[in-house]
Amino acid sequence: MATYAYGTGPIKGYDIGPIAMEAAFTSDFPLAAGVGVQEIVDKQEVERRVMDVRPGMYAKYMPSRIDAGPSGTHFTGGRYLFETWEDVLDYERFTSEELEFEPGVKFWSRPFFLNVERFVWRVAGAHNFLPLEEHHVSRFERFRYSGAGADLAVRGAWASLRDEAAARGLGAVWLLHQPEQQLIGIHSVASRDAVSALDAEVSLGSLLPGSLAVERYFARTSRVLSLWLPRSRVAGGVPSAYPMSPPLPLPSVPSRAV
């Protein structure tokens, strides 16, 4: 099996421009105390080799935010894009009902994953403005809404939201919709050293139609701990990237181009 050096090599198969994906999956949760950053970096790199081969996965951004307070809680999760709705439902089923890295323990029931929140989404729009090599930090926001006609309204807001993201110099933006739970999600990506800047920026949610009566109830800006890159792997590029190393660590497990 071919090997590669973490943090080196080209990312292939990802273009600047519209991202033609239908579905997304997100998860957010704190890790239990005592799980070190190096440990979670190594675990996810090994486990990626089983997970990123699921049908239709375009990419995964794994966030990392460590609470500055006395608890030092490490918040992580994932932001994924998939080609079709069927693909994202398959991933949700696989990770919930089948996948076990510890015998007898389903993936989302691992004791060091605390209070997991996860959602499947329809994609109203997604766009890369910068090469993935420049995708270093991200902000994920969730909004509740109560207005009618949400599907058309959300899709109608995409062009202005995309154009504002471009004007701000962002690396990428996704606009997501969960009509069953009346939720909207916005995933914004920026270049290195932009954590505080993204936190301070006015939310792109301000461009959502007033008729939806949106209320933001979740916002978290994080370094990108890792990028899973199935298209790059298939094209002969790196299968994963670690854009915020340093200060976040590279994996210490043997590397493989799978």
Side-chain angles (χ1 to χ4, degrees):
M1 199 66 73
T3 63
Y4 70 100
Y6 294 117
T8 66
I11 295 175
K12 299 182 178 181
Y14 295 88
D15 298 324
I16 293 173
I19 308 170
M21 297 291 119
E22 292 183 1
F25 179 90
T26 65
S27 64
D28 286 280
F29 52 91
L31 292 167
V35 179
V37 177
Q38 185 68 64
E39 180 182 357
I40 203 66
V41 168
D42 290 346
K43 277 184 178 293
Q44 63 81 40
E45 172 59 28
V46 171
E47 294 168 4
R48 171 194 64 77
R49 301 165 191 175
V50 174
M51 300 173 77
D52 81 351
V53 296
R54 300 307 299 178
M57 187 188 295
Y58 169 82
K60 174 192 175 180
Y61 292 72
M62 184 174 181
S64 174
R65 180 164 182 143
I66 299 176
D67 194 326
S71 70
T73 301
H74 189 179
F75 296 92
T76 186
R79 293 82 172 87
Y80 309 69
L81 287 178
F82 287 88
E83 291 181 8
T84 69
W85 185 245
E86 290 73 22
D87 291 335
V88 79
L89 293 182
D90 172 75
Y91 189 77
E92 164 65 15
R93 179 205 58 77
F94 171 69
T95 56
S96 300
E97 302 176 11
E98 185 176 338
L99 182 61
E100 295 180 358
F101 290 109
E102 298 84 25
V105 181
K106 296 294 186 286
F107 182 74
W108 295 115
S109 298
R110 303 170 103 175
F112 53 92
F113 288 1
L114 306 180
N115 304 316
V116 176
E117 295 181 290
R118 62 186 195 271
F119 301 91
V120 293
W121 305 85
R122 308 275 183 178
V123 176
H127 197 103
N128 283 329
F129 302 105
L130 298 175
L132 267 66
E133 289 86 349
E134 299 180 47
H135 292 197
H136 299 116
V137 300
S138 70
R139 176 164 70 170
F140 186 56
E141 303 167 87
R142 295 199 302 265
F143 305 80
R144 299 185 182 95
Y145 68 86
S146 55
D151 189 59
L152 287 176
V154 173
R155 291 184 181 278
W158 166 241
S160 59
L161 191 145
R162 178 200 61 212
D163 292 349
E164 176 62 19
R168 294 184 185 186
L170 295 180
V173 68
W174 311 346
L175 177 59
L176 313 176
H177 185 206
Q178 225 294 354
E180 293 79 9
Q181 299 183 58
Q182 292 188 289
L183 301 177
I184 295 168
I186 299 177
H187 180 230
S188 308
V189 180
S191 57
R192 184 177 287 272
D193 300 326
V195 174
S196 59
L198 266 184
D199 266 337
E201 280 187 351
V202 173
S203 171
L204 291 170
S206 63
L207 299 173
L208 294 170
S211 61
L212 293 178
V214 298
E215 171 200 6
R216 189 174 77 167
Y217 75 99
F218 177 92
R220 183 171 295 149
T221 304
S222 311
R223 293 184 174 100
V224 176
L225 183 149
S226 68
L227 282 167
W228 294 5
L229 304 166
R231 291 190 169 194
S232 180
R233 170 175 50 77
V234 170
V238 292
S240 58
Y242 294 85
M244 285 301 285
S245 175
L248 297 178
L250 292 172
S252 60
V253 295
S255 60
R256 294 189 297 165
V258 296

